[in-house]
């Protein structure tokens, strides 16, 4: 069974940076062909997709994070990353990763995996 384990969250001041990691265990032989994405869920809000990357490396971002967040992957290590710079209080949320199918253009992901525990990101002075 595929397991998703997010890490790297924490408390950071506005303008600070964090790098999140998502380790995918139990992935199949062709897992690298799947798109992957980061979601976040703020208190009282629904989980929202913020970034995706295809197996070929194409990336898409929500407007709210463009220019500040960078999604990347290391297929050899079955690991997904989210580099977050210039963090803002509105970025505060629990961040989750998942994988599935996505178009090369446009922010969309039809996730396949079950949800992991997520990692908390808190941006506050």
């Amino acid at each position: 069974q595929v397991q998703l384990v997010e890490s790297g969250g924490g408390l950071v001041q506005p303008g600070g940076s964090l790098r999140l990691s998502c380790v995918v265990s139990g992935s199949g032989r062709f897992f690298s062909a799947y798109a992957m994405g980061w979601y976040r869920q703020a208190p009282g809000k629904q989980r929202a997709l913020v970034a995706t990357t295809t197996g070929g490396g194409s990336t898409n971002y929500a407007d709210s994070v463009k220019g500040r967040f960078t999604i990347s992957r290391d297929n050899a290590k079955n690991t997904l990353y989210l580099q977050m710079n210039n963090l803002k209080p509105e970025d505060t949320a629990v961040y989750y990763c998942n994988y599935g199918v996505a178009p090369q253009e446009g922010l969309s992901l039809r996730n396949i995996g079950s949800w992991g525990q997520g990692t908390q990101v808190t941006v506050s002075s």
Side-chain angles (χ1 to χ4, degrees):
Q1 183 176 350
V2 175
Q3 185 178 21
L4 305 170
V5 181
E6 301 93 342
S7 64
L11 175 63
V12 64
Q13 293 184 332
S17 298
L18 285 172
R19 190 181 76 156
L20 307 184
S21 298
C22 169
V23 177
V24 184
S25 63
S27 58
R29 184 176 182 178
F30 305 110
F31 180 78
S32 62
Y34 285 113
M36 299 190 73
W38 284 99
Y39 298 76
R40 66 185 182 187
Q41 186 169 26
K45 297 184 178 179
Q46 290 187 284
R47 185 155 35 208
L49 183 65
V50 298
T52 60
T53 180
T54 68
S58 298
T59 59
N60 288 281
Y61 300 91
D63 289 341
S64 59
V65 307
K66 284 182 179 177
R68 299 188 298 118
F69 290 11
T70 302
I71 187 171
S72 62
R73 64 196 296 166
D74 187 334
N75 290 331
K77 296 181 179 179
N78 294 322
T79 302
L80 177 72
Y81 303 98
L82 185 67
Q83 178 66 47
M84 305 185 295
N85 298 323
N86 191 25
L87 284 161
K88 303 176 180 180
E90 51 263 44
D91 296 318
T92 296
V94 178
Y95 285 71
Y96 303 86
C97 64
N98 216 304
Y99 67 96
V101 294
Q104 280 202 301
E105 297 181 356
L107 186 65
S108 180
L109 180 67
R110 189 171 185 266
N111 67 282
I112 296 174
S114 299
W115 299 109
Q117 84 285 357
T119 185
Q120 176 72 52
V121 172
T122 302
V123 185
S124 179
S125 299

